[in-house]
Amino acid sequence: MLDVFYGAFSPACFALLGLWLVIVQIRLQEWQGSAVHRRRSYGVALHFALPGIMSLLALVNPQDSAFWRVSFAIIALGGAIVLATVRGFPLRSGQPGATKAAAARPDQVGLAAYIAAILIYVLIGVLAFAGGLAALRTEAILLTLLLFLGFNAAWLLLFDDRHPSHGRPSATAP
């Protein structure tokens, strides 16, 4: 029923994952020494890979609802668990004059997006058990929302200069 959507959505997810891997490769030297950046970049990759895998599996046998329901449930619930255990939510870095407690507080917008992604994965997993055309349509919308969250997380992480590289001049340098 949603073959056309999943036929277009899956390649889009994998294309974004490929582009993200290029970004990671470009920033690898800078991010390699930062556990926070490694976890966050992995979380971004999950935003692109898991919806792509779900969409690809939805195309394997669209007439067999049990197949897509089980695969969506396993991948979505597994994605929620992995994303929660990766702890890839953004933290505020120490800024001049900030206390140690303030430096360790999560970035509120980033944390909200991180929690939203986990909840969306759980919701997709629950909807897979419900089945039906309405659930498929809702899951398609939720997968699109996950991709949107992943893109925004990638954008913010790409330009995150909380841990600037020693070899790269700062944006505020004359």
Side-chain angles (χ1 to χ4, degrees):
M1 314 230 167
L2 292 172
D3 298 357
V4 175
F5 170 78
Y6 288 119
F9 190 73
S10 182
C13 290
F14 290 121
L16 286 170
L17 177 62
L19 290 171
W20 180 244
L21 292 176
V22 170
I23 297 300
V24 169
Q25 184 179 10
I26 291 170
R27 303 282 302 258
L28 183 63
Q29 220 174 15
E30 183 179 344
W31 290 349
Q32 210 166 16
S34 169
V36 170
H37 282 94
R38 286 194 312 268
R39 287 193 307 264
R40 287 181 63 197
S41 64
Y42 180 68
V44 168
L46 286 177
H47 276 77
F48 301 139
L50 295 181
I53 291 169
M54 284 187 238
S55 300
L56 192 59
L57 289 174
L59 294 171
V60 169
N61 190 357
Q63 288 73 33
D64 184 7
S65 68
F67 179 77
W68 71 259
R69 288 170 62 188
V70 169
S71 63
F72 271 44
I74 290 171
I75 294 168
L77 297 176
I81 291 168
V82 170
L83 198 56
T85 58
V86 166
R87 298 183 331 264
F89 55 88
L91 294 175
R92 291 188 182 150
S93 65
Q95 297 172 352
T99 66
K100 190 173 183 177
R105 282 197 336 249
D107 174 28
Q108 299 302 314
V109 173
L111 181 60
Y114 177 77
I115 291 170
I118 293 171
L119 292 175
I120 290 171
Y121 276 122
V122 170
L123 187 55
I124 289 171
V126 169
L127 285 172
F129 288 112
L133 184 57
L136 262 177
R137 287 183 177 141
T138 304
E139 286 172 336
I141 292 167
L142 292 173
L143 288 172
T144 305
L145 184 56
L146 269 176
L147 202 64
F148 177 74
L149 285 174
F151 173 81
N152 283 286
W155 186 264
L156 292 172
L157 183 57
L158 174 63
F159 292 104
D160 179 28
D161 61 353
R162 285 179 252 178
H163 303 286
S165 171
H166 296 292
R168 188 183 342 171
S170 138
T172 59

